[in-house]
C-alpha cells in the first residue's frame, strides 16, 4: 500500500552538467503530472512523463528540474558586435555634428562606458538540446528521484495500512456483537409479539396465524443477508490492505458498499441496540474512508 502524498529528490552531475530534480505529490483522483524544466529539456518532456507513469498511477505530481552548467562549460561570453558597430557609427557622427568633437579617444571611452551600461557584452549559459550526455543524465536523475518519492509514499502507505487494520478490527468487533445480538433479539421479539397478541385477543390464538405474521415481521427486519455480505466485504478489505498493487480506487468502492449495507441494517431494525451498533459502524467506516482518500 502506498500513499499519494510524498516527496523525492535526486542530484546528479558530470564534469559539464549538474541536475537537481525534486518531485512532490498530493492527493488527486487521477494522475496529473506537472513538469517545470529548463527550455533546453523541452524535447524530452514526453519521455519524462512516460517514465513517471511507469511508477506512479495516481496523484497530482509536480516535478521541478533545475539545470546548470559547471566547470569549463559553465558560462560563455557573447558580444553583440552588430549592435556595438551601430552604436559606434551613430555616436561618432552625432558627436562630430552636434558638438564638433574630433577626439577619437574621448569618443571611444564614451562608447565603452555606454556599451557596458547597456549590456552589449553579456554572459549566458548554453547547452545543446540534442546532447546525449545531458539527456541520459536527466533520465538517470529522474529515476533516482522517483525511487526517492516511492520510498516516501511507501512509508506513508505503511502507516495508513496500520491505521486501516486497526479500524477494520474494530469493525469486526461490531459485526460480532450484531451477530450475537440478532439471535437473542429474534427470540425475544417472538415472545413479546406472542404475549401482546394473547393479551389483546385472549388465550385463544391461532398458532399457524401467529407464526405466519411473526415470520412476515421478522423477514421485514431480517439483517442476516446484510451481515453476511459485510463479512465478505471485511475479508476483501484485509486482502486489499495486503495487496502489492495500487488499491485506492478498489478500497474507495468497497467502503461505499459497506456503508450501503450498514444503512440498510439501520433502516430495517428498530431495536435500540442495533441502532447503536449501526452508528458505531458508520463512525468506523468514515474513519477508514478518510484514510482511503490518501491511498494510491
Amino acid at each position: 500500500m502506498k500513499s499519494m502524498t510524498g516527496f523525492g529528490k535526486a542530484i546528479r552531475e558530470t564534469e559539464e552538467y549538474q541536475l537537481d530534480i525534486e518531485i512532490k505529490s498530493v492527493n488527486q483522483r487521477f494522475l496529473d503530472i506537472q513538469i517545470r524544466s529548463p527550455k533546453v529539456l523541452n524535447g524530452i518532456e514526453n519521455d519524462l512523463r512516460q517514465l513517471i507513469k511507469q511508477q506512479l498511477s495516481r496523484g497530482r505530481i509536480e516535478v521541478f528540474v533545475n539545470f546548470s552548467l559547471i566547470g569549463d562549460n559553465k558560462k560563455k561570453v557573447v558580444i553583440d558586435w552588430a549592435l556595438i558597430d551601430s552604436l559606434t557609427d551613430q555616436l561618432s557622427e552625432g558627436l562630430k555634428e552636434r558638438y564638433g568633437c574630433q577626439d577619437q579617444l574621448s569618443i571611444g571611452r564614451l562608447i565603452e562606458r555606454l556599451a557596458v551600461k547597456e549590456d552589449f557584452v553579456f554572459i549566458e549559459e548554453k547547452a545543446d538540446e540534442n546532447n546525449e550526455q545531458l539527456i541520459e543524465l536527466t533520465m538517470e536523475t529522474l529515476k533516482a528521484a522517483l525511487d526517492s518519492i516511492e520510498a516516501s509514499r511507501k512509508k506513508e502507505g505503511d502507516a495508513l495500512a496500520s491505521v486501516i487494520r486497526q479500524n477494520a478490527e474494530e469493525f469486526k468487533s461490531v459485526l460480532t456483537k450484531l451477530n450475537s445480538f440478532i439471535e437473542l433479539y429474534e427470540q425475544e421479539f417472538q415472545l413479546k409479539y406472542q404475549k401482546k397478541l394473547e393479551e389483546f385477543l385472549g388465550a385463544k390464538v391461532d398458532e399457524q396465524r401467529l407464526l405466519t405474521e411473526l415470520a412476515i415481521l421478522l423477514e421485514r427486519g431480517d439483517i442476516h443477508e446484510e451481515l453476511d455480505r459485510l463479512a465478505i466485504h471485511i475479508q476483501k478489505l484485509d486482502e486489499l490492505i495486503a495487496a502489492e498493487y495500487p488499491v485506492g480506487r478498489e478500497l474507495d468502492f468497497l467502503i461505499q458498499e459497506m456503508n450501503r449495507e450498514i444503512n440498510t441494517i439501520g433502516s430495517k431494525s428498530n431495536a435500540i441496540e442495533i441502532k447503536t451498533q449501526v452508528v458505531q459502524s458508520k463512525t468506523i467506516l468514515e474513519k477508514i474512508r478518510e484514510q482511503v482518500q490518501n491511498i494510491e
Side-chain angles (χ1 to χ4, degrees):
M1 182 176 291
K2 298 175 186 176
S3 170
M4 282 189 284
T5 303
F7 176 82
K9 181 176 181 179
I11 300 175
R12 295 288 186 275
E13 67 177 49
T14 64
E15 294 180 355
E16 296 181 341
Y17 309 112
Q18 176 176 298
L19 272 173
D20 178 350
I21 297 182
E22 293 184 358
I23 307 177
K24 65 178 183 178
S25 64
V26 294
N27 298 353
Q28 181 87 337
R29 187 175 181 184
F30 303 104
L31 182 63
D32 179 17
I33 302 174
Q34 302 292 328
I35 299 178
R36 295 173 175 83
S37 64
K39 186 177 180 181
V40 68
L41 298 175
N42 285 351
I44 63 170
E45 182 172 323
N46 187 56
D47 295 330
L48 300 179
R49 288 180 179 275
Q50 294 303 317
L51 185 57
I52 294 170
K53 288 179 180 179
Q54 290 176 13
Q55 287 195 241
L56 308 178
S57 60
R58 287 183 72 195
R60 176 178 173 83
I61 315 298
E62 293 184 318
V63 182
F64 302 90
V65 182
N66 299 309
F67 161 78
S68 60
L69 298 167
I70 59 177
D72 296 336
N73 195 34
K74 188 173 182 180
K75 293 181 179 180
K76 295 180 180 180
V77 175
V78 180
I79 301 176
D80 194 337
W81 289 110
L83 197 57
I84 292 178
D85 289 343
S86 176
L87 174 67
T88 302
D89 293 342
Q90 292 185 43
L91 281 176
S92 296
E93 295 177 5
L95 289 172
K96 290 178 182 179
E97 293 178 2
R98 288 173 179 264
Y99 308 108
C101 181
Q102 302 295 328
D103 186 352
Q104 294 296 326
L105 181 60
S106 298
I107 294 174
R109 289 174 178 173
L110 176 61
I111 293 174
E112 180 182 355
R113 287 197 298 271
L114 288 173
V116 173
K117 181 179 179 181
E118 296 299 330
D119 293 330
F120 291 101
V121 178
F122 59 94
I123 299 174
E124 70 173 9
E125 294 184 346
K126 282 192 173 182
D128 184 3
E129 294 184 9
N130 297 318
N131 190 314
E132 291 295 333
Q133 182 186 9
L134 177 58
I135 293 174
E136 183 179 347
L137 181 65
T138 304
M139 301 301 285
E140 176 188 337
T141 308
L142 180 59
K143 289 178 181 178
L146 286 170
D147 290 341
S148 176
I149 194 173
E150 278 286 83
S152 172
R153 285 159 64 110
K154 180 65 169 60
K155 183 178 180 180
E156 181 74 13
D158 290 341
L160 291 174
S162 178
V163 173
I164 293 175
R165 284 193 185 97
Q166 182 179 352
N167 289 326
E169 290 302 318
E170 293 181 17
F171 190 83
K172 291 176 186 177
S173 177
V174 172
L175 284 186
T176 301
K177 291 179 181 178
L178 276 172
N179 277 295
S180 61
F181 172 76
I182 195 63
E183 295 181 5
L184 180 62
Y185 170 74
E186 289 177 350
Q187 294 174 4
E188 292 180 350
F189 181 81
Q190 181 177 352
L191 294 174
K192 289 180 181 179
Y193 182 72
Q194 184 175 356
K195 184 178 180 180
K196 286 186 177 181
L197 277 181
E198 289 176 352
E199 290 175 354
F200 183 74
L201 299 175
K204 295 182 180 180
V205 179
D206 186 346
E207 186 72 20
Q208 188 62 38
R209 180 64 182 273
L210 172 63
L211 293 175
T212 302
E213 293 293 335
L214 184 59
I216 293 173
L217 290 174
L218 288 175
E219 184 178 359
R220 289 176 182 173
D222 182 28
I223 60 173
H224 287 91
E225 186 177 345
E226 286 75 19
L227 290 174
D228 289 341
R229 282 198 291 264
L230 282 171
I232 295 172
H233 290 333
I234 202 70
Q235 183 179 358
K236 181 64 175 178
L237 178 61
D238 289 338
E239 294 175 2
L240 290 177
I241 293 174
E244 297 293 334
Y245 58 91
V247 295
R249 289 193 180 95
E250 284 189 70
L251 280 172
D252 191 29
F253 177 76
L254 181 63
I255 298 305
Q256 291 180 36
E257 290 299 306
M258 294 174 72
N259 257 315
R260 188 174 292 111
E261 300 296 345
I262 288 295
N263 288 332
T264 301
I265 290 175
S267 64
K268 280 187 174 183
S269 305
N270 294 320
I272 187 63
E273 292 87 351
I274 295 179
K275 293 288 187 182
T276 301
Q277 300 302 324
V278 165
V279 171
Q280 291 184 7
S281 300
K282 295 182 72 171
T283 301
I284 295 170
L285 286 178
E286 180 60 23
K287 291 179 182 178
I288 297 177
R289 191 194 67 82
E290 289 177 358
Q291 301 300 327
V292 166
Q293 302 307 307
N294 300 317
I295 296 173
E296 182 182 17

